[in-house]
Amino acid sequence: MTVPSPPRWQAPKAINRVEWTALPHKVRTAIEDQLGSPVVAAKTQHGGFSPGMAAIVRCADDSDCFIKAVNPDLNPLSPQLYRDEAVFSAALPQRMPVPRLRHVYDDGDWIALVFDAINGKMPELPWAAVDVQRLMATIQTLGTTPLTGDLTRLPSVPERLAHSFGAYRRLAEMPQSLTAWEHGNIDRLVVAAESALESTAGDSLVHLDLRADNIVLAHDGSPYIVDWSWASSGAPWLDKVCFLVNVATYGGDAESFLRSDQLLASVPSDHVTGFLIGLCGMWTEAVAAPPPPGLPALRSFQRLERDATLAWIRSRTGWD
């Protein structure tokens, strides 16, 4: 059997974000009132896929912070994701490697979140082995965070993924959306993806969207995890697999990192493979659809994720 090589890494496309000065005057004024000092400089941050405003701003009192803002005109789903992120971020313990949420502005149209600024940078891609190892250690600590207070109301991972992991069943009726290998193995893929939901259950804190644009490396190399819109309760190993998918997407050898990780080595192999198959079906279905409003680069990135995950699955299963 010939297993395809992982896709070659491609640099993410830049997105056209809204600038701080382009926000409505009333929004900027309200945020400055929360900050207690006017903004005198703003540096737009271009990682990720959202068309919303994202900038590190400097105030007249020499304080700085990170601000992100969006409204439904930019993308109709993003405001609710920001509202979810505000609730979940506020509930995270202060000892965690996450920036502190300082303020929320929400007028029913525009919503803005104000966080402590992290002096650092996004990870360099492709992933360096030392950064992967740091992230794997940091992710390990996330799973030990007690789910108390508002965190007890987190959605479960099976709830989050129930529809997405049914993608291969729907795609069985749309063979034109499948690769030849997926089409030839569709019955096994349907069963594996839907069976995987049970193994994702648990009572650990799960970020569920761990990828390079949701990570900031401080100047000392310490990782900080951002964008908690998809926070969930689930199995403690899920975030490590999600992160290794991102490593594979940028050309890294995810399987070697998985084999050397003590936690992942204790997880039944079919649980990991089933989870990967569920993700792969989700992305295969996504790339067959038009791009969401305001997110023109998302589908091309999801295709990279799908291709990398599919190559990993074929290597793990050995299916013809």
Side-chain angles (χ1 to χ4, degrees):
M1 182 197 69
T2 300
V3 176
S5 300
R8 294 183 62 185
W9 172 72
Q10 300 178 33
K13 295 181 180 179
I15 59 172
N16 294 320
R17 285 196 180 276
V18 173
E19 300 289 330
W20 163 256
T21 53
L23 291 180
H25 181 264
K26 71 169 186 175
V27 176
R28 286 183 283 122
T29 299
I31 294 173
E32 289 175 328
D33 287 345
Q34 290 177 325
L35 295 173
S37 181
V39 172
V40 296
K43 183 178 181 181
T44 296
Q45 307 297 295
H46 290 285
F49 299 94
S50 171
M53 194 282 298
I56 293 178
V57 305
R58 172 60 56 90
C59 294
D61 63 1
D62 285 335
S63 63
D64 55 19
C65 62
F66 172 77
I67 304 174
K68 59 192 295 187
V70 76
N71 79 344
D73 293 340
L74 296 171
N75 178 264
L77 299 181
S78 291
Q80 186 56 52
L81 292 176
Y82 278 37
R83 293 183 180 103
D84 291 343
E85 182 181 359
V87 172
F88 301 148
S89 294
L92 296 175
Q94 291 189 8
R95 63 177 178 80
M96 289 184 60
V98 300
R100 179 173 62 95
L101 178 67
R102 294 169 56 180
H103 305 290
V104 178
Y105 169 84
D106 190 350
D107 62 15
D109 181 28
W110 282 95
I111 177 168
L113 309 183
V114 181
F115 293 92
D116 285 343
I118 303 299
N119 293 318
K121 62 180 181 179
M122 290 182 61
E124 294 184 5
L125 299 173
W127 281 95
V130 64
D131 289 334
V132 174
Q133 291 161 357
R134 284 173 175 160
L135 259 297
M136 294 291 274
T138 297
I139 294 167
Q140 185 90 18
T141 68
L142 299 183
T144 63
T145 301
L147 299 184
T148 59
D150 286 343
L151 294 182
T152 61
R153 299 199 292 271
L154 286 174
S156 72
V157 173
E159 290 173 323
R160 291 274 201 197
L161 298 180
H163 177 77
S164 296
F165 276 33
Y168 272 128
R169 183 173 296 278
R170 295 186 292 274
L171 289 165
E173 307 300 322
M174 303 167 55
Q176 70 278 7
S177 299
L178 298 169
T179 66
W181 184 87
E182 287 172 305
H183 184 255
N185 290 281
I186 190 62
D187 291 339
R188 289 194 281 194
L189 294 171
V190 168
V191 172
E194 294 179 350
S195 300
L197 285 173
E198 183 177 358
S199 66
T200 67
D203 56 5
S204 294
L205 176 65
V206 179
H207 182 279
L208 203 58
D209 196 22
L210 268 178
R211 59 184 197 231
D213 53 291
N214 288 338
I215 296 164
V216 179
L217 300 181
H219 290 317
D220 65 357
S222 301
Y224 284 78
I225 311 299
V226 303
D227 290 352
W228 285 84
S229 299
W230 295 98
S232 311
S233 61
W237 53 271
L238 295 174
D239 275 339
K240 286 192 171 185
V241 176
C242 287
F243 170 61
L244 289 180
V245 166
N246 192 250
V247 172
T249 298
Y250 292 113
D253 186 355
E255 185 67 28
S256 68
F257 288 111
L258 184 150
R259 289 196 303 266
S260 64
D261 185 85
Q262 186 173 4
L263 172 62
L264 292 180
S266 69
V267 179
S269 179
D270 62 321
H271 289 187
V272 173
T273 302
F275 182 60
L276 291 172
I277 289 172
L279 294 177
C280 192
M282 176 182 72
W283 288 318
T284 294
E285 185 175 50
V287 299
L295 304 175
L298 180 60
R299 293 296 186 234
S300 60
F301 180 72
Q302 289 173 326
R303 186 176 297 278
L304 287 176
E305 292 180 299
R306 191 281 304 272
D307 291 349
T309 306
L310 189 60
W312 193 5
I313 292 165
R314 293 184 64 174
S315 177
R316 288 180 64 85
T317 62
W319 299 343
D320 293 332

